[in-house]
Amino acid sequence: ATRRMGEAIGVGLAAEGVPYKLFHMATSDRNDVLAEVFKSKAILVGSPTLNQGLLPTLMPVLEDLRGLRFQNKIGAAFGSYGWSGESPRVIEEHLAAAKIPLAAESVKAKWQPRPADLAACETLGRKVAAAVKAG
C-alpha cells in the first residue's frame, strides 16, 4: 500500500518536471539513500503504521537525518495503516527534529489506497514539486 502511494507521489513530481527516486528501505543500502538525500532538495518519507510507529528498517535513516543536520531540504510524510495510522505524524516529528520543514500536509490511506487516496498522493507530489521549484 505504501509503495503504491509513493509511486503516485512520483507521478505528481514527474508531472511537474521534478525528478525523483524511490527507495524500499528493506532492500536499499542506507548509505546510498543518505547520499541521495544529500543531493536532493526534498525528502518524502512513507511508512505503514506498525505497532503505532514506523517500520524498523526506516528508523536508522530517520536518525541519520537528525544527526547529519542536512540544510536547505524540505520534506513530507505519507503512510498506510490498518488500525491506528500514526506513521505520518511520527515521520513529521522526525523531520522536525532533523530541521526539515514540511512542504505539504501528510497523506495517509487505510489498508490499500483507493483512487481518491492515490489522487491525494499525486497532489502531494505536485505540492512538493512546486515548493522545490520555488526554493
Side-chain angles (χ1 to χ4, degrees), residues 57-122:
T57 55
L58 184 58
M59 294 306 294
V61 171
L62 292 174
E63 288 299 318
D64 286 339
L65 289 178
R66 186 175 51 82
L68 292 170
R69 299 192 183 275
F70 289 111
Q71 296 185 8
N72 303 316
K73 308 279 182 222
I74 56 173
F78 63 98
S80 59
Y81 67 101
W83 304 108
S84 57
E86 292 92 349
S87 65
R89 179 187 49 80
V90 173
I91 292 167
E92 287 177 345
E93 290 169 0
H94 280 278
L95 292 174
K99 306 283 191 258
I100 298 174
L102 298 177
E105 189 174 318
S106 66
V107 175
K108 63 182 178 178
K110 188 167 186 177
W111 305 112
Q112 287 294 322
R114 295 179 177 89
D117 299 320
L118 295 174
C121 290
E122 186 174 333

Side-chain angles (χ1 to χ4, degrees), residues 5 8 21 47 54-55 63 88 103 115 124 133:
M5 294 175 75
K21 291 185 180 180
S47 176
L54 308 176
L55 288 176
E63 288 299 318
L124 174 60
K133 289 177 177 181

